[in-house]
Amino acid sequence: SAVISQKPSRDICQRGTSLTIQCQVDSQVTMMFWYRQQPGQSLTLIATANQGSEATYESGFVIDKFPISRPNLTFSTLTVSNMSPEDSSIYLCSVDRAGRETQYFGPGTRLLVL
Amino acid sequence: KQEVTQIPAALSVPEGENLVLNCSFTDSAIYNLQWFRQDPGKGLTSLLLIQSSQREQTSGRLNASLDKSSGRSTLYIAASQPGDSATYLCAVRNTGFQKLVFGTGTRLLVSP
């Protein structure tokens, strides 16, 4: 299994500000994924982050709102920009060790925007 | 577009019962299917992974089956315990795609 950590674990932010979430994996992985889970909902993929290239965003998500960095094979960040209360969600980082096999998830970052 | 549905949305049972959670998907061209558990406010824990060529996988009291042609998977939990209380999510990965598509989840409550 993969050990994934996220920082912060939770935060309360003011409308209009930005928050950067960090994801650290215990070993090198090719692909990292960022998901959002809105209250009472299932998980929705925001984007896929490959090292050395721009992230690939899913329909409904844009780089200006959710910029992603992937500086190396064990680390990624997701920024939630110009936040509004609708951005209140759990944000989860995920990795896929062997390519399309078991996918592992971090503990999540619980964000509340006031 | 792949869509994944889970029934029931919520389930409450007394301790010791055997139970079945259902997952259905619209596109049978899947690569694999994964069952997860999520505790309130937490991340996801992988329970079982079934490849498209497999019919079932077992881990302890958990057994997951897959019928790809009919677009269905079931998660069977034997002798349920209060510690099994959580939300259970199934997710499918389509052939040729990297991303998982998640179901709506089943919230399980096992009472002592």
Side-chain angles (χ1 to χ4, degrees):
Chain A
S1 64
V3 177
I4 306 170
S5 61
Q6 285 185 234
K7 290 182 182 179
S9 59
R10 58 177 60 221
D11 208 341
I12 300 174
C13 300
Q14 296 298 318
R15 181 195 301 260
T17 62
S18 297
L19 176 72
T20 296
I21 302 168
Q22 299 179 4
C23 177
Q24 179 75 52
V25 189
D26 67 337
S27 61
Q28 295 181 345
V29 293
T30 303
M31 304 185 75
M32 297 178 77
F33 306 89
W34 287 98
Y35 286 82
R36 180 176 74 180
Q37 187 176 29
Q38 293 177 301
Q41 304 294 315
S42 191
L43 278 74
T44 302
L45 181 65
I46 297 172
T48 302
N50 291 327
Q51 193 267 337
S53 63
E54 283 198 8
T56 302
Y57 288 83
E58 295 297 308
S59 176
F61 297 96
V62 295
I63 188 171
D64 289 346
K65 176 66 175 178
F66 297 101
I68 288 172
S69 77
R70 182 79 199 274
N72 57 53
L73 292 174
T74 63
F75 186 79
S76 177
T77 67
L78 169 75
T79 299
V80 186
S81 304
N82 188 24
M83 289 184 285
S84 67
E86 291 72 33
D87 293 319
S88 298
S89 297
I90 299 175
Y91 291 86
L92 297 121
C93 170
S94 177
V95 303
D96 187 345
R97 265 195 185 281
R100 303 202 298 164
E101 300 303 329
T102 301
Q103 196 157 327
Y104 300 96
F105 285 79
T109 295
R110 176 168 280 192
L111 171 62
L112 177 63
V113 184
L114 302 177
Chain B
K1 178 185 174 184
Q2 179 72 272
E3 293 182 2
V4 183
T5 305
Q6 292 184 243
I7 294 174
L11 182 62
S12 182
V13 300
E15 181 176 8
E17 276 204 7
N18 302 323
L19 54 98
V20 175
L21 308 181
N22 297 291
C23 171
S24 61
F25 46 94
T26 55
D27 184 350
S28 62
I30 67 169
Y31 183 78
N32 58 35
L33 181 147
Q34 199 165 349
W35 282 93
F36 294 89
R37 167 188 173 137
Q38 185 176 31
D39 293 285
K42 305 288 187 179
L44 276 66
T45 301
S46 178
L47 298 173
L48 290 164
L49 171 73
I50 309 179
Q51 301 291 355
S52 62
S53 59
Q54 297 175 323
R55 299 285 288 182
E56 65 179 296
Q57 282 288 325
T58 298
S59 176
R61 294 183 293 108
L62 305 179
N63 176 275
S65 67
L66 174 64
D67 184 344
K68 196 172 70 166
S69 61
S70 67
R72 293 179 183 176
S73 176
T74 62
L75 179 67
Y76 175 83
I77 302 177
S80 59
Q81 303 171 357
D84 295 329
S85 298
T87 296
Y88 291 80
L89 295 160
C90 75
V92 301
R93 195 192 307 265
N94 277 24
T95 302
F97 292 94
Q98 294 285 350
K99 72 174 185 179
L100 287 176
V101 177
F102 278 84
T104 46
T106 294
R107 183 178 294 180
L108 173 65
L109 177 63
V110 181
S111 305

